[in-house]
Amino acid sequence: MEKLINALLDYAEEKELILPEDRVWAFNRILEVLQLDAADTEEEPPLPDASAPMPAAVLDLLTEDAVRRGIIESGSTAHDLFDTKLMGVLTPAPHEVRAKFREPYAHSPEAATDWFYTFSKDTNYIRRDRLAKDEKWLYTGKYGTLEVTINLAKPEKDPRAIAAARNAAQTGYPKCQLCMENEGYAGRMDHPARQNHRLVPVTINGSDWFFQYSPYVYYNEHCILFNGEHVPIKIDEAAFRKLFDFVRQFPHYNIGSNADLPIVGGSILSHDHFQGGRHDFPMAKAEIETAVTFKGFEDVSAGILNWPMSVIRLDCPDYGRLTKLATRILACWRSYTDEKVFLFAETDGVPHNTLNPIVRRRGEDYELDLVLRNNITTEEHPLGVFHPHARLHHIKKENIGLIEVMGLAILPGRLKTELEELKTAILEGRDLYEDDVLVKHADWAYEIMSRHAFTPENTETILRQEIGKVFEEVLEDAGVYKRDAEGHSAFLRFIDTVNR
């Protein structure tokens, strides 16, 4: 194992995770994790090819050896727990990381985030090798160019891990995957290891928050800002203030929040957090199609966005003014009902109206997008009236959260294999209704075949573009005001209500 361990230490030294004087100590710590008394094992795996991604290539070999020796069980979850433990040995302590972040931040917030993002990749917290496997493409439609991804960086549920977690003693620590207690946590079969995870404290609106990057990186520098306390997401005036405070401190980043109600919210509603990053989302490029004015806020540029979902855009150099206007719009929306377009503020005392706020800088201006959301369900649409409808579930059934609201589709990993199989089946002329896996795509695929002549050269391109079209329809389904004359008139009725 000596050559493999030294290859890992060479990498750590190159990335400045350890110093030369740490080398013997780090070598022995790696031996400890590998449960070896010495590195002179009889059979040592060959070093990975020079072109192999690091540190993943060496970590994989060390982990496979641990499986062979019975140190750990096989399976993707056990693998991730073990290789994270190895990298945790080489990851600097939190106080060191925070000091290194503060040093460049003093003269450049951008330089600080550049360093921290690179560091998060160097420690393998962000797994570069898995990100490289993600499928990505663009779709140009009615609202400009949308982005489509099939995300493979987030691991699929491991059946062995599910079974082991079911039999394990339940613990409430950490309370969720966002809590600050995740920093350095060893993980378990139902909770990811985070020994190589580091946080940066940030004061937001006078309270203690923490800054990190998403390990799955759905877009460039995908960051997460979360409350130091385990409290639920709440969209209110304070939330607007927090978002503006963040972009004041990190003006090169945008930031937004998931909605605070089920169905239209994100995957973790129990912990107050925002998501941001350095990425020019499709929605940010969309233009105002109908300018509007809010009484008492004539200094704020405002309008309805040309977007499949229902968005009010506000621009002003004074974020305090934007906060006041946004609070007024939110208060009005929370209690707003328009039965003509099946909008109900509540049914049987259950609230339905909320929104996604998104903040960015535009030169000297602050820009705030308010995406109106409603989570009402019916017998016809049990997952939500303003949610992807059943005809689209073969591609996208999951909730439409903040990232997708902004025009970036995050499609399930299963689609990669299914689309490859569908491509082959179409070219071979097989009956899709007779295929247990592809039958869900059959109606959609046959409709596409009625419009296109498929060849080995164009099949993948056609299918990708048609998936983009499905995503466009998904966003239209999620819009509370439909993209027609009736929907536009209803949207303007709401604007008039705010002005009363």
Side-chain angles (χ1 to χ4, degrees):
M1 291 297 120
E2 184 174 358
K3 290 181 180 178
L4 282 179
I5 295 174
N6 278 320
L8 186 59
L9 297 183
D10 288 344
Y11 168 86
E13 226 179 289
E14 177 192 345
K15 301 301 182 182
E16 299 183 353
L17 301 178
I18 62 172
L19 298 176
E21 53 262 45
D22 300 324
R23 185 110 187 180
V24 173
W25 166 85
F27 189 96
N28 288 329
R29 289 295 316 282
I30 295 294
L31 284 180
E32 179 185 349
V33 175
L34 295 173
Q35 297 185 28
L36 292 172
D37 294 326
D40 54 346
T41 51
E42 293 183 3
E43 293 185 13
E44 178 164 346
L47 288 172
D49 185 81
S51 62
M54 286 289 286
V58 170
L59 291 171
D60 285 346
L61 291 172
L62 291 172
T63 303
E64 289 165 8
D65 177 74
V67 172
R68 281 194 299 270
R69 292 187 292 112
I71 302 303
I72 63 171
E73 297 180 2
S74 61
S76 59
T77 301
H79 179 288
D80 286 1
L81 290 171
F82 189 76
D83 73 358
T84 303
K85 188 175 184 178
L86 287 168
M87 282 308 299
V89 169
L90 305 173
T91 302
H95 74 275
E96 298 177 72
V97 175
R98 294 168 187 183
K100 286 185 177 180
F101 181 88
R102 286 192 294 267
E103 183 179 344
Y105 183 86
H107 61 83
S108 169
E110 188 172 349
T113 57
D114 283 349
W115 174 83
F116 191 39
Y117 187 58
T118 299
F119 170 84
S120 298
K121 291 184 286 186
D122 289 344
T123 62
N124 209 42
Y125 168 71
I126 295 173
R127 296 175 180 263
R128 289 187 182 100
D129 58 314
R130 293 182 184 172
L131 293 179
K133 298 175 183 177
D134 287 353
E135 300 279 343
K136 300 180 180 181
W137 67 92
L138 302 177
Y139 166 77
T140 301
K142 294 183 284 185
Y143 309 99
T145 299
L146 300 177
E147 300 174 18
V148 182
T149 67
I150 297 177
N151 188 272
L152 302 170
K154 190 171 185 176
E156 298 283 343
K157 296 289 187 182
D158 182 344
R160 285 165 290 196
I162 294 171
R166 187 186 303 119
N167 298 325
Q170 296 301 302
T171 174
Y173 183 89
K175 291 181 180 178
C176 76
Q177 291 188 27
L178 287 179
C179 286
M180 61 178 291
E181 289 80 10
N182 283 279
E183 188 177 40
Y185 187 62
R188 52 185 190 267
M189 294 303 275
D190 63 346
H191 194 102
R194 290 290 183 254
Q195 291 103 321
N196 58 350
H197 177 39
R198 296 295 179 264
L199 304 171
V200 172
V202 185
T203 300
I204 298 293
N205 197 36
S207 58
D208 295 332
W209 285 59
F210 291 89
F211 175 83
Q212 67 171 71
Y213 287 102
S214 166
Y216 311 121
V217 192
Y218 294 138
Y219 52 86
N220 185 45
E221 296 182 43
H222 177 186
C223 67
I224 299 173
L225 185 73
F226 68 89
N227 198 320
E229 297 183 15
H230 183 80
V231 294
I233 291 177
K234 185 178 182 181
I235 304 299
D236 57 8
E237 180 179 357
F240 300 138
R241 292 187 183 279
K242 292 167 188 171
L243 292 169
F244 284 120
D245 195 16
F246 178 80
V247 296
R248 182 185 62 79
Q249 297 180 58
F250 298 90
H252 58 296
Y253 274 6
N254 59 67
I255 195 162
S257 177
N258 272 304
D260 55 1
L261 293 178
I263 296 177
V264 294
S267 59
I268 303 179
L269 294 177
S270 61
H271 197 131
D272 193 13
H273 71 284
F274 306 130
Q275 295 183 78
R278 182 152 42 178
H279 182 69
D280 198 12
F281 283 94
M283 192 174 81
K285 302 173 188 176
E287 297 182 353
I288 287 176
E289 65 176 5
T290 305
V292 299
T293 301
F294 288 100
K295 189 181 300 182
F297 292 89
E298 287 78 10
D299 56 322
V300 176
S301 174
I304 296 172
L305 209 60
N306 178 29
W307 193 246
M309 297 185 70
S310 308
V311 187
I312 299 171
R313 175 165 290 172
L314 309 173
D315 283 87
C316 184
D318 184 348
Y319 62 80
R321 296 284 291 160
L322 292 177
T323 298
K324 290 180 180 178
L325 177 53
T327 303
R328 178 197 288 185
I329 293 171
L330 173 63
C332 187
W333 179 245
R334 290 283 194 193
S335 60
Y336 186 74
T337 291
D338 187 343
E339 296 185 14
K340 292 181 180 178
V341 288
F342 204 76
L343 273 176
F344 295 88
E346 58 87 21
T347 54
D348 300 322
V350 177
H352 297 306
N353 288 346
T354 182
L355 53 77
N356 294 109
I358 299 131
V359 171
R360 63 185 74 88
R361 294 299 301 267
R362 292 282 192 196
E364 296 300 313
D365 280 2
Y366 290 86
E367 185 168 271
L368 172 61
D369 287 343
L370 300 175
V371 187
L372 306 180
R373 309 296 300 272
N374 180 286
N375 75 346
I376 195 168
T377 61
T378 63
E379 289 187 9
E380 182 183 1
H381 301 294
L383 298 181
V385 172
F386 305 106
H387 177 89
H389 289 177
R391 73 187 188 286
L392 308 176
H393 286 178
H394 65 107
I395 298 294
K396 179 67 177 178
K397 185 178 181 179
E398 299 78 11
N399 293 351
I400 302 306
L402 171 69
I403 297 170
E404 289 172 314
V405 162
M406 296 188 288
L408 195 166
I410 303 169
L411 301 180
R414 63 172 172 83
L415 280 178
K416 179 176 173 62
T417 302
E418 290 178 10
L419 290 174
E420 290 172 353
E421 293 177 2
L422 182 60
K423 176 182 174 180
T424 301
I426 290 172
L427 293 173
E428 293 177 354
R430 291 176 4 219
D431 185 346
L432 301 180
Y433 291 111
E434 295 298 318
D435 190 301
D436 292 341
V437 174
L438 300 181
V439 63
K440 68 167 78 75
H441 300 298
D443 289 346
W444 173 70
Y446 282 123
E447 192 280 327
I448 297 171
M449 282 188 263
S450 72
R451 294 184 282 109
H452 294 279
F454 282 90
T455 68
E457 292 74 28
N458 70 10
T459 300
E460 181 173 310
T461 299
I462 292 171
L463 290 177
R464 285 189 168 198
Q465 291 306 298
E466 293 293 334
I467 288 172
K469 185 177 179 182
V470 168
F471 178 54
E472 186 176 71
E473 294 176 25
V474 160
L475 295 182
E476 289 177 332
D477 281 354
V480 296
Y481 293 115
K482 300 310 170 188
R483 300 291 302 173
D484 54 26
E486 181 185 17
H488 189 65
S489 296
F491 205 154
L492 292 176
R493 285 199 298 273
F494 171 66
I495 301 294
D496 290 341
T497 302
V498 177
N499 280 326
R500 287 177 189 165

